[in-house]
Amino acid sequence: MVDNQHKKITGYRDLTEEEIALMNKVKAKAEEVGKLLAEIEGLHADTGQHTIDMRWLNIGKTDLQKGFMAVVRSIARPDTF
């Protein structure tokens, strides 16, 4: 592992303790939501029935991932595109 990796990557900055705590909260909530989605997907796989519309579930998963990434980015405020 490289110490202070973020300093070697363009666009990253040092975060405050408060920002780190907020980002960790967002990431923990994303993990919680991810587990719920896996549970929903498991229901579909376990029953073998088409009780879940997998197309919409996958759209929801993608949109939620993008949303959580956007929230993390709003906290991190990178200075690159």
Side-chain angles (χ1 to χ4, degrees), residues 29-42:
K29 188 58 68 176
E31 284 299 310
E32 181 182 337
V33 170
K35 288 177 183 175
L36 174 60
L37 295 173
E39 185 178 337
I40 293 167
E41 190 170 358

Side-chain angles (χ1 to χ4, degrees), residues 4-81:
N4 296 313
Q5 293 178 40
H6 69 285
K7 293 182 182 212
K8 296 177 185 260
I9 301 170
T10 302
Y12 284 69
R13 65 183 180 84
D14 289 328
L15 301 173
T16 67
E17 288 297 322
E18 182 180 32
E19 290 168 329
I20 292 168
L22 283 171
M23 287 178 71
N24 284 330
K25 280 184 176 182
V26 171
K27 289 177 174 281
K29 188 58 68 176
E31 284 299 310
E32 181 182 337
V33 170
K35 288 177 183 175
L36 174 60
L37 295 173
E39 185 178 337
I40 293 167
E41 190 170 358
L43 174 67
H44 177 77
D46 290 346
T47 63
Q49 299 175 1
H50 298 289
T51 56
I52 304 298
D53 185 330
M54 290 304 296
R55 178 178 170 270
W56 279 109
L57 181 61
N58 287 326
I59 290 169
K61 285 167 63 174
T62 299
D63 288 352
L64 286 163
Q65 285 174 325
K66 291 190 308 187
F68 281 115
M69 289 188 319
V71 172
V72 166
R73 189 175 173 95
S74 78
I75 297 166
R77 296 185 340 263
D79 63 9
T80 56
F81 181 75

